[in-house]
Amino acid sequence: MTSTAPIGVFDSGLGGISVVHELVKDLPDEQVLYFGDSANAPYGTKTPEEVRRLAFSIVNDFVRKGVKAVVIACNTATSAAVDALREQFSIPIIGMEPALKVACDRGHGVPQHVIVAATPLTLRERKFAKLMSRFNADNVIYKQPCPALVEIVEHGQLDDRELVERTLHGYFDQYDLETIDSVVLGCTHFPFFREYFRRLMPSSTAIIDGNEGTVRHLRVVLEALGKLAPEGAAGGVSLSNSDTSERMATLMEQLLTR
């Protein structure tokens, strides 16, 4: 396997395109194969066993295509499948988790009030419970499942401002937002709502996602293995989806350039 081999990136649907945005920006010489499993979305309401089965099928296909690493651009699939995938495959498998550490570290010792917005499965899996246990003694952490936000992206409704704002108010009006220090976007679909979150939250509230940290970790891993694409290599992105409709192909292209 050469350093110019592609990187496989997958998600339950379209959210992982937000990770591809970051990857293209930070590693422009890399070839990226993106697969969205929109025909089986959402993952966040499935059982862990169902998600693992789908993830193994996708990674097997990537390996047949000769990828040098896989990024699970999905917090839910990471929670359910990353450990099993790493046991099965010898290539690097890069997962994601809600950027709770980043949010809590912002306080520099001052307790933080943090909302973690994610899918129901991410928030109830053992992996998140373990992450949360590192920080909830010294901070106030609220778990907020937001499954409808995934559906809005998958149905191409991001520009339906009334729908998006009504959905966000339905989830977040229960909180005294003036007391919230950070909102963690714990699903890769959610960075597409960043401007909506910014309008909803006080200006003092940070809005944090894990995309930058994930791509930074990928760079470190590839560099350590001598697998970073050489400078000036012909980088690019190839998009595919289990929903093979023309509507889905158009939507993926729109999100990639959004």
Side-chain angles (χ1 to χ4, degrees):
M1 190 185 301
T2 68
S3 61
T4 55
I7 297 164
V9 181
F10 80 92
D11 178 43
S12 62
L14 302 175
I17 293 175
S18 70
V19 179
V20 174
H21 269 297
E22 192 69 35
L23 206 164
V24 169
K25 184 177 75 174
D26 290 2
L27 298 171
D29 302 315
E30 300 290 349
Q31 283 283 344
V32 178
L33 304 181
Y34 181 78
F35 181 80
D37 195 14
S38 294
N40 292 300
Y43 280 10
T45 54
K46 295 187 186 305
T47 66
E49 292 75 22
E50 288 176 305
V51 174
R52 278 193 288 274
R53 178 179 57 79
L54 292 164
F56 266 84
S57 176
I58 293 164
V59 176
N60 270 313
D61 189 54
F62 276 150
V63 169
R64 283 194 294 270
K65 292 175 179 174
V67 300
K68 62 184 176 183
V70 170
V71 177
I72 309 175
C74 176
N75 290 266
T76 300
T78 298
S79 296
V82 69
D83 292 337
L85 289 168
R86 285 172 176 161
E87 288 178 10
Q88 179 74 23
F89 298 99
S90 59
I91 60 172
I93 308 286
I94 309 297
M96 300 193 71
E97 65 181 14
L100 186 55
K101 182 180 188 301
V102 176
C104 293
D105 285 354
R106 290 182 70 251
H108 301 290
V110 177
Q112 298 291 287
H113 289 69
V114 180
I115 299 173
V116 180
T119 68
L121 179 55
T122 293
L123 294 175
R124 68 174 181 261
E125 270 291 280
R126 185 175 70 248
K127 185 174 173 60
F128 181 73
K130 185 177 178 182
L131 173 67
M132 188 168 164
S133 70
R134 293 165 50 195
F135 302 103
N136 61 0
D138 300 315
N139 303 276
V140 179
I141 301 166
Y142 305 99
K143 300 190 293 184
Q144 181 55 57
C146 302
L149 295 184
V150 175
E151 296 295 323
I152 287 171
V153 176
E154 294 295 318
H155 292 129
Q157 297 171 310
L158 272 170
D159 294 322
D160 187 338
R161 182 169 176 171
E162 182 181 346
L163 171 64
V164 173
E165 291 183 346
R166 182 172 70 248
T167 303
L168 288 174
H169 280 291
Y171 289 136
F172 294 98
D173 281 357
Q174 63 184 297
Y175 300 101
D176 179 0
L177 296 179
E178 293 294 334
T179 68
I180 300 300
D181 297 295
S182 303
V183 175
V184 174
L185 306 182
C187 171
T188 55
H189 287 75
F190 296 176
F192 290 119
F193 297 94
R194 180 175 288 276
E195 294 309 313
Y196 288 108
F197 274 101
R198 187 68 280 159
R199 287 196 292 268
L200 178 68
M201 300 295 166
S203 59
S204 59
T205 302
I207 299 169
I208 298 167
D209 68 65
N211 292 0
E212 184 180 346
T214 299
V215 173
R216 187 166 57 243
H217 179 53
L218 172 66
R219 172 193 281 274
V220 168
V221 169
L222 291 179
E223 200 163 26
L225 294 172
K227 296 294 186 183
L228 273 179
E231 190 172 343
V237 179
S238 174
L239 300 172
S240 61
N241 200 292
S242 56
D243 176 345
T244 57
S245 67
E246 187 174 333
R247 182 196 74 87
M248 183 57 65
T250 300
L251 188 50
M252 286 195 296
E253 291 288 350
Q254 289 172 345
L255 288 172
L256 187 61
T257 57
R258 193 177 178 91

